[in-house]
Amino acid sequence: MPNMVNSIITIELSDRGNISQKQNRWEIFRDLRHSLDTCADKPEDCHVFSILRPIPILEECNIGWRVNNWGTKWEPEVHHYEFDKNYKSLSMAISTAWCPPIDLLKYLTEMGFDIACTFASVENENFGFYEDGDLNGYHIDYFDETDFEEMHEILKDLDEVAGLHRMITIGLGTDDEFVVDEFYSVYERMYEEYEDWAADRGVLDRKSENLKMKNKVMEWLEDDIENNNMKENLYLKICNGLKNSQYGETKELHDKMVEEKFSMINYYKVRNMGWRGEPNLPLIYA
């Protein structure tokens, strides 16, 4: 099983070049749109890379050609795609084996497309950004107990949400939403290890942390009420449950709500990728 890389890729038609070059780009976009819309229920079967850079007949069985010309071994798994209303721009959320398709992106840039890509891989412990020929990649060094004492000076006055987000942005060196979301679960585990480290040394006040989490949960619930995302009887039920909840109980609800805010499903929905049906985690908890 290969390590997987998740990417958000944007491909835009440009006005550069002569009429023949513009026509060529338009035809690729036309074929891409037809293929994606035809197999919208199973976009992983759309052979996107083969449309963007076709495989020569003599190389159809040659993985080496794909690695050298796409930058990855196989066609991507397409999770979501979206064209703008004028069909001049396409955004795709994809997964590829081992590497992002940088060689393909470079080829498309040379063809005159405007290209942007953000990629991240927990398994490879790296992420990066590509835009119109410029590539910047970064390796992740995760925190452990040797870092926690120094980290505590930064995190000690922050609630868990702010503290976790701060740990992530320090560790990654970026606050890019896609990258932060991709590595969230890894840093969540590290933050839990930090909390255990702090509690063992008596520098983490569980009562104080419990109160902070209750206040944060209440803040989120009130936002849901204000935005008509929750019924009042459910709001009251959860509030009554919070009154006497101990640290572990509060943390369970708090962590589920944090996970919802950071989850990839919620990320795609918020970024208007069109998903519906996200479970209401406070409802499940209640």
Side-chain angles (χ1 to χ4, degrees), residues 26-265:
W26 181 86
E27 289 177 358
I28 290 174
F29 238 55
R30 177 201 61 197
D31 294 345
L32 200 56
R33 174 188 173 188
H34 173 75
S35 179
L36 286 167
D37 287 347
T38 299
C39 57
D41 294 335
K42 297 188 69 177
E44 65 273 13
D45 294 335
C46 290
H47 304 291
V48 169
F49 287 179
S50 295
I51 294 172
L52 291 170
R53 189 171 192 178
I55 304 173
I57 294 176
L58 296 178
E59 304 290 352
E60 286 182 348
C61 297
N62 186 353
I63 288 179
W65 186 93
R66 282 171 261 162
V67 171
N68 292 329
N69 292 276
W70 293 348
T72 186
K73 297 170 64 173
W74 303 303
E75 287 281 353
E77 181 178 357
V78 181
H79 303 293
H80 295 283
Y81 72 92
E82 182 178 25
F83 288 93
D84 72 346
K85 63 180 180 180
N86 297 317
Y87 288 94
K88 291 185 176 181
S89 177
L90 167 66
S91 294
M92 295 187 295
I94 68 171
S95 295
T96 52
W98 296 110
C99 301
I102 298 301
D103 291 283
L104 176 62
L105 300 182
K106 290 180 178 178
Y107 170 79
L108 296 175
T109 299
E110 292 171 359
M111 285 192 66
F113 287 102
D114 291 327
I115 304 293
C117 172
T118 301
F119 62 88
S121 173
V122 171
E123 294 165 311
N124 290 340
E125 300 183 355
N126 63 10
F127 68 93
F129 308 94
Y130 175 92
E131 185 168 6
D132 296 333
D134 294 327
L135 172 65
N136 293 287
Y138 305 90
H139 180 75
I140 305 301
D141 291 317
Y142 296 130
F143 298 119
D144 58 27
E145 285 197 12
T146 62
D147 304 303
F148 287 160
E149 187 168 346
E150 181 178 351
M151 188 61 63
H152 179 68
E153 293 304 310
I154 300 171
L155 304 179
K156 64 181 180 181
D157 295 324
L158 301 176
D159 62 39
E160 185 169 354
V161 174
L164 175 55
H165 193 269
R166 184 69 178 133
M167 177 181 276
I168 294 173
T169 54
I170 290 174
L172 296 175
T174 179
D175 59 1
D176 180 88
E177 283 186 74
F178 176 77
V179 176
V180 168
D181 186 84
E182 187 72 8
F183 285 93
Y184 167 77
S185 61
V186 176
Y187 280 92
E188 181 184 37
R189 289 194 296 271
M190 282 190 285
Y191 194 87
E192 290 174 354
E193 291 173 4
Y194 157 73
E195 286 186 313
D196 291 340
W197 173 90
D200 289 344
R201 285 156 180 77
V203 296
L204 182 65
D205 182 352
R206 293 293 192 188
K207 290 184 179 180
S208 175
E209 290 300 310
N210 190 27
L211 180 59
K212 286 182 182 179
M213 287 192 291
K214 287 184 179 182
N215 290 337
K216 182 56 68 174
V217 168
M218 287 301 303
E219 180 183 323
W220 290 332
L221 293 175
E222 288 166 5
D223 286 343
D224 284 341
I225 284 289
E226 185 177 339
N227 295 317
N228 296 317
N229 293 327
M230 179 178 290
K231 293 183 179 179
E232 187 173 353
N233 61 340
L234 175 59
Y235 168 80
L236 293 174
K237 185 176 181 179
I238 296 176
C239 290
N240 287 333
L242 279 174
K243 286 180 181 178
N244 299 314
S245 67
Q246 300 301 308
Y247 177 87
E249 298 167 323
T250 308
K251 184 171 174 57
E252 181 181 358
L253 172 60
H254 176 275
D255 287 354
K256 287 180 179 178
M257 296 184 75
V258 171
E259 183 177 357
E260 183 180 58
K261 290 180 179 297
F262 279 93
S263 72
M264 284 295 280
I265 294 176

